[in-house]
């Protein structure tokens, strides 16, 4: 690539995706004065198919595949993803060039009457397309009626009123990034709801052999974020999870150790396996693998087999 040629940045076209991409470009410009960037919007299968639950779309790469193909074909030079959308197996031609510092990975409740989960009425109707959120909500309150909710963040917020819902569950990070935090009724504690793997983090994907782009991105990588997300992704890979499986996880780095907590739930929330593990920060993948294996041995394998029977490949 010629030195002065603009770097083409691939992004989905939603308001949140473009906000994230523009933020990444702004930060990269500060770190690399004189480098020019252009955005190329790419629609993914997850953007195009909005009337089917995510769990029925197959789950793997529905928001990333088209961007990755564009990367491999050199139509773009880097792709900005929400880390929770990135499959645990990445093409051997690609790599995650940077993970900027993570923002709060919590889930939040936006409720019609601005009340918390505990104070929602009996049989309250809650909107979410996530089996992970559904299972943990039902584990807390089996009376909830869970309504499937798809679409970008703006669309989901509008459906709160349009679909006569008592509340919706969304990621705190998305609201932070687009400036909608004033609508939050409750930041849900991890004790009630563990987030999706990688939630709150961004993953910037590049071609493995692209030295120029890799150098430009290197200063933007946040080591603690990368370690935490690596632990979570290792756990997910070992459990062979995705959008079809109610798995939540959260890792954090304190000094030289990584602490990982995870949950596996049945679809109805009646059975949950929750466990935690810690280890050296430089062995994040091992920590994730070890916790996953322990959870499988303690009944997680049976739960996952039951769930997969509901979602044939």
């Amino acid at each position: 690539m010629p030195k002065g040629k603009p770097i083409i940045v691939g992004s989905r076209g939603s308001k949140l995706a473009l906000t994230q991409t523009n933020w990444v470009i702004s930060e990269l410009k500060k770190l690399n004065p004189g480098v020019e960037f252009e955005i190329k919007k790419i629609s993914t299968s997850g953007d195009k198919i909005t009337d089917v639950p995510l769990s029925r779309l197959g789950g793997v790469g529905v928001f990333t595949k088209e961007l990755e193909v564009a990367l491999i074909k050199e139509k773009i030079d880097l792709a900005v993803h929400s880390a929770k959308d990135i499959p645990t197996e990445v093409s051997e031609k690609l790599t995650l060039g940077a993970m900027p510092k993570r923002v709060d990975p919590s889930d939040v409740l936006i409720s019609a009457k601005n009340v918390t989960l505990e104070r929602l009425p009996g049989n309250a109707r809650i909107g979410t397309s996530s089996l992970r959120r559904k299972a943990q909500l039902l584990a807390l309150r089996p009376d909830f009626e869970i309504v499937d909710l798809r679409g970008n963040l703006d669309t989901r917020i509008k459906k709160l009123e349009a679909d006569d819902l008592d509340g919706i569950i969304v990621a705190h990070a998305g609201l932070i990034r687009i400036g909608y935090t004033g609508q939050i009724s409750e930041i849900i504690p991890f004790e009630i709801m563990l987030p999706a793997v990688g939630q709150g983090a961004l993953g910037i994907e590049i071609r493995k052999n692209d030295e120029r782009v890799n150098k430009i991105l290197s200063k933007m990588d946040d080591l603690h974020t990368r370690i935490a997300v690596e632990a979570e992704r290792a756990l997910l890979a070992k459990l062979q999870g995705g959008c079809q499986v109610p798995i939540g996880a959260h890792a954090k780095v304190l000094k030289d150790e990584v602490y990982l907590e995870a949950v596996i739930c049945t679809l109805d929330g009646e059975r949950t396996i929750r466990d935690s593990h810690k280890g050296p920060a430089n062995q994040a993948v091992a920590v994730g693998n070890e916790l996953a294996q322990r959870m499988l041995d303690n009944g997680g394998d049976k739960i996952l087999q039951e769930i997969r029977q509901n979602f044939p490949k």
Side-chain angles (χ1 to χ4, degrees):
M1 181 188 294
K3 186 175 181 180
K5 188 176 180 182
I7 290 175
I8 309 301
V9 183
S11 173
R12 294 166 57 201
S14 71
K15 179 176 181 178
L16 175 58
L18 290 171
T19 298
Q20 291 176 166
T21 299
N22 277 306
W23 177 83
V24 167
I25 290 173
S26 175
E27 294 300 302
L28 287 175
K29 282 182 175 180
K30 293 176 189 175
L31 296 168
N32 301 276
V35 177
E36 294 298 321
F37 299 86
E38 294 178 6
I39 294 176
K40 183 179 179 66
K41 289 189 279 188
I42 295 174
S43 184
T44 68
S45 55
D47 297 312
K48 296 170 185 173
I49 306 171
T50 59
D51 57 349
V52 177
L54 282 176
S55 57
R56 297 290 176 184
L57 287 180
V60 178
V62 295
F63 293 116
T64 60
K65 185 178 179 180
E66 287 81 0
L67 286 156
E68 291 178 327
V69 169
L71 259 178
I72 291 168
K73 292 184 176 180
E74 299 189 13
K75 293 182 178 179
I76 60 175
D77 301 308
L78 62 88
V80 179
H81 306 294
S82 293
K84 66 179 181 178
D85 294 333
I86 304 172
T88 52
E89 290 187 16
V90 175
S91 166
E92 61 182 15
K93 297 179 181 180
L94 304 175
T95 188
L96 290 175
M99 282 194 172
K101 188 174 181 179
R102 189 181 210 171
V103 299
D104 182 21
S106 303
D107 289 297
V108 300
L109 168 70
I110 300 176
S111 61
K113 296 184 178 180
N114 197 29
V115 296
T116 63
L117 286 172
E118 185 179 290
R119 299 187 64 187
L120 284 170
N123 304 307
R125 302 177 74 242
I126 310 295
T128 177
S129 63
S130 163
L131 294 181
R132 172 190 60 82
R133 289 170 177 155
K134 174 182 178 180
Q136 292 182 92
L137 284 169
L138 292 175
L140 175 71
R141 283 190 48 180
D143 64 299
F144 282 156
E145 178 188 346
I146 309 300
V147 179
D148 190 68
L149 189 67
R150 285 289 314 279
N152 61 42
L153 194 49
D154 278 331
T155 300
R156 282 178 282 158
I157 291 172
K158 289 175 183 175
K159 284 184 177 181
L160 174 63
E161 182 176 349
D163 292 2
D164 194 27
L165 301 174
D166 293 289
I168 63 172
I169 309 294
V170 298
H172 192 193
L175 297 177
I176 291 171
R177 288 185 172 119
I178 62 175
Y180 284 10
T181 54
Q183 302 194 45
I184 295 171
S185 303
E186 179 183 16
I187 298 174
I188 305 173
F190 291 146
E191 291 77 16
I192 293 174
M193 185 174 292
L194 282 174
V197 163
Q199 188 161 300
L202 299 179
I204 306 176
E205 198 170 24
I206 65 173
R207 287 182 293 279
K208 194 174 286 186
N209 62 355
D210 195 330
E211 294 181 8
R212 180 195 178 207
V213 174
N214 187 49
K215 185 176 180 181
I216 287 170
L217 283 180
S218 61
K219 297 175 185 176
M220 198 174 185
D221 196 51
D222 181 77
L223 182 58
H224 281 193
T225 296
R226 184 177 282 272
I227 289 170
V229 175
E230 280 181 353
E232 294 169 13
R233 284 171 59 81
L235 174 128
L236 189 65
K238 183 76 172 179
L239 297 178
Q240 298 180 6
C243 291
Q244 296 173 325
V245 183
I247 295 170
H250 176 247
K252 60 183 177 181
V253 178
L254 294 175
K255 295 184 179 179
D256 57 354
E257 286 193 309
V258 59
Y259 294 75
L260 175 62
E261 186 173 14
V263 65
I264 302 172
C265 309
T266 55
L267 294 173
D268 58 11
E270 288 190 3
R271 286 177 288 149
T272 63
I273 294 174
R274 188 167 179 140
D275 203 349
S276 60
H277 189 41
K278 68 178 180 177
N282 62 2
Q283 296 180 27
V285 171
V287 170
N289 284 333
E290 289 163 9
L291 179 57
Q293 188 60 58
R294 196 163 73 203
M295 295 178 79
L296 289 170
D297 294 342
N298 290 338
D301 189 46
K302 184 178 179 181
I303 290 177
L304 295 176
Q305 286 183 30
E306 291 172 3
I307 291 170
R308 290 184 182 113
Q309 290 176 1
N310 290 283
F311 299 101
K313 291 183 180 180

